[in-house]
Amino acid sequence: MVVACADSPLLQARASIPMAGEFDVVWFSDSESQPEATCKVVHHMRQPSLGPLYWLRLILVFFNTYFKKRPDILHVHWSVFLPLLFPFKWKKVIVSPMGSDIFHPGKLAFRQRISRKVLSRADVVTSKSEFMDAQLLLLGVPKERIVRMTWGVEDAFFTAPERRGEMRSRFSLTEEELVFFSPRAIKPLYRIDEIVAAFCQFRKNSGAGLLLVSEMAGTAEDRERLAGIVKGYGLSEHVRFLGQLDLEGMTQAYAVSDAVISFSLSDGMPQTLYETMAAGCYPVFTDLAHYHSLIASREEGYLCSSTDAGQLVEAMQYVKDEISGKWNPADNREKIRRLASRKTETEKMLGVYQRLLQV
């Protein structure tokens, strides 16, 4: 049984991995979108605005599914998962935490306190980097239970450069136009407001550039707030809000973009960075220590101080002056082919499932 949110193309891809093996799979999705899959699907409509009633309903629907199916393995792609707080005699449990689950404490350290308990239930915990390993150890996960899993990158992202001309025509963009893309979810951790404001300042200074904004997890209020920032600068024609993007929508946005912007306060090793490099876009990311294994110099990407949004403006200017039309992404793309092969990572995860079934 897999627990993963179908609103995220990233988690859709991860949820599909056991379907590549000889397993009877049930996919439980707490999401706005109905999952599309060949396996049995249980969809719980995501409505956190209902408050405690929503969380109670989620717990009840999950337990109803779990005790009907009695799966041999429960794989949860989220460590802030309340049902695993209950002290049942679970069978085999795999937890794949997101970076924000374990690095972002939340109010009164709520997220980390739940994550610590949920992780204690796991027979296997997946981790994308040594940096995540260290945090998991701090949260009490035994080293022998941690398994390295980068999950791999969809082949579609590697084809983005070949689709650039076609997609730029579809987006009504010239070949020369400078395009930035913000692909992260609309959550406080990812500081999309600051990215939008920095772009507007850059655009005012340089007179160049277009910003594309993905709106995963965004609300109408988020759109209104972000649009208000843009309108305040008089730049509404130069920022496009793309709504919720599926895999094809994400691939198209990468294909037309010169650079990808991420300004998160903390992170694991985000799939966004793998996708950015695979798609041949120049990464402009926060200067977090664990990114250095992929971005060691300006030739590979631009790392900005997490406390100085002004460096985002400087990074965008650098992209305009030094990267756009001049930079060769071949080394970045080859690095991701080596580190994040979807085929290899799928085989590795299927092997983990098989080993747990044999214990």
Side-chain angles (χ1 to χ4, degrees), residues 103-278:
F103 289 108
H104 188 52
K107 190 174 182 180
L108 301 177
F110 180 74
R111 295 177 67 84
Q112 281 189 348
R113 289 161 66 186
I114 292 178
S115 288
R116 182 186 291 272
K117 192 65 177 178
V118 168
L119 291 166
S120 73
R121 308 277 191 222
D123 299 277
V124 171
V125 177
T126 66
S127 168
K128 295 182 70 175
S129 67
E130 291 183 3
F131 187 74
M132 284 190 75
D133 292 355
Q135 183 67 9
L136 291 169
L137 291 171
L138 287 175
L139 291 172
V141 179
K143 186 175 182 179
E144 62 272 15
R145 295 187 186 179
I146 300 173
V147 172
R148 174 74 69 255
M149 192 67 58
T150 66
W151 300 106
V153 175
E154 289 277 2
D155 290 342
F157 293 107
F158 286 102
T159 67
E162 288 74 41
R163 302 181 66 187
R164 180 181 173 93
E166 173 198 353
M167 289 300 107
R168 285 216 162 202
S169 294
R170 185 175 297 183
F171 278 65
S172 300
L173 300 170
T174 66
E175 181 57 33
E176 296 75 25
E177 190 158 2
L178 176 62
V179 180
F180 298 95
F181 176 36
S182 168
R184 309 301 293 267
I186 309 291
K187 294 182 178 181
L189 177 66
Y190 300 123
R191 300 190 290 182
I192 308 303
D193 299 54
E194 295 188 47
I195 292 174
V196 170
F199 170 78
C200 290
Q201 187 60 56
F202 162 76
R203 174 78 203 194
K204 278 289 189 183
N205 295 345
S206 68
L210 172 74
L211 176 66
L212 306 178
V213 181
S214 167
E215 296 178 88
M216 186 172 71
T219 64
E221 291 76 16
D222 292 324
R223 164 75 74 91
E224 185 177 355
R225 185 185 69 256
L226 294 170
I229 295 172
V230 177
K231 187 175 180 181
Y233 281 89
L235 295 173
S236 297
E237 293 183 4
H238 303 289
V239 177
R240 297 187 193 178
F241 296 99
L242 304 181
Q244 296 265 7
L245 297 176
D246 58 12
L247 174 61
E248 174 60 17
M250 290 290 285
T251 306
Q252 290 180 11
Y254 280 115
V256 302
S257 298
D258 297 288
V260 169
I261 314 293
S262 173
F263 196 51
S264 60
L265 283 165
S266 63
D267 225 335
M269 183 61 81
Q271 197 75 7
T272 303
L273 182 51
Y274 291 145
E275 292 169 357
T276 296
M277 296 173 74

Side-chain angles (χ1 to χ4, degrees), residues 287-335:
D287 190 0
L288 301 177
H290 48 296
Y291 291 174
H292 295 180
S293 63
L294 291 177
I295 302 176
S297 71
R298 290 277 173 86
E299 185 59 29
E300 295 160 316
Y302 196 116
L303 297 177
C304 303
S305 167
S306 63
T307 60
D308 184 4
Q311 288 194 14
L312 283 176
V313 181
E314 296 172 10
M316 292 177 195
Q317 187 65 46
Y318 180 83
V319 171
K320 177 180 180 294
D321 295 340
E322 305 295 336
I323 300 300
S324 182
K326 305 170 187 175
W327 179 65
N328 186 341
D331 288 346
N332 275 11
R333 283 162 56 78
E334 182 56 32
K335 186 182 295 186

Side-chain angles (χ1 to χ4, degrees), residues 6-128:
D7 293 334
S8 164
L10 167 66
L11 293 181
Q12 288 179 27
R14 294 184 187 180
S16 70
I17 287 177
M19 300 174 208
E22 297 180 358
F23 304 109
D24 182 13
V25 180
V26 178
W27 179 2
F28 180 90
S29 178
D30 173 48
S31 56
E32 294 181 11
S33 305
Q34 171 78 28
E36 295 182 6
T38 56
C39 68
K40 167 73 174 175
V41 168
V42 177
H43 178 217
H44 177 261
M45 177 58 71
R46 187 167 180 78
Q47 294 175 300
S49 60
L50 296 178
L53 287 176
Y54 160 74
W55 295 105
L56 176 61
R57 187 183 69 187
L58 182 151
I59 291 168
L60 292 175
V61 173
F62 170 79
F63 279 134
N64 181 60
T65 304
Y66 183 83
F67 288 114
K68 276 185 178 179
K69 298 297 180 181
R70 295 280 182 176
D72 295 303
I73 297 174
L74 173 65
H75 188 171
V76 180
H77 291 270
W78 186 28
S79 63
V80 189
F81 187 60
L82 299 184
L84 276 174
L85 295 178
F86 289 80
F88 295 125
K89 191 172 182 179
W90 302 93
K91 291 186 179 181
K92 300 299 181 182
V93 176
I94 303 173
V95 177
S96 294
M98 307 301 286
S100 58
D101 296 344
I102 60 175
F103 289 108
H104 188 52
K107 190 174 182 180
L108 301 177
F110 180 74
R111 295 177 67 84
Q112 281 189 348
R113 289 161 66 186
I114 292 178
S115 288
R116 182 186 291 272
K117 192 65 177 178
V118 168
L119 291 166
S120 73
R121 308 277 191 222
D123 299 277
V124 171
V125 177
T126 66
S127 168
K128 295 182 70 175

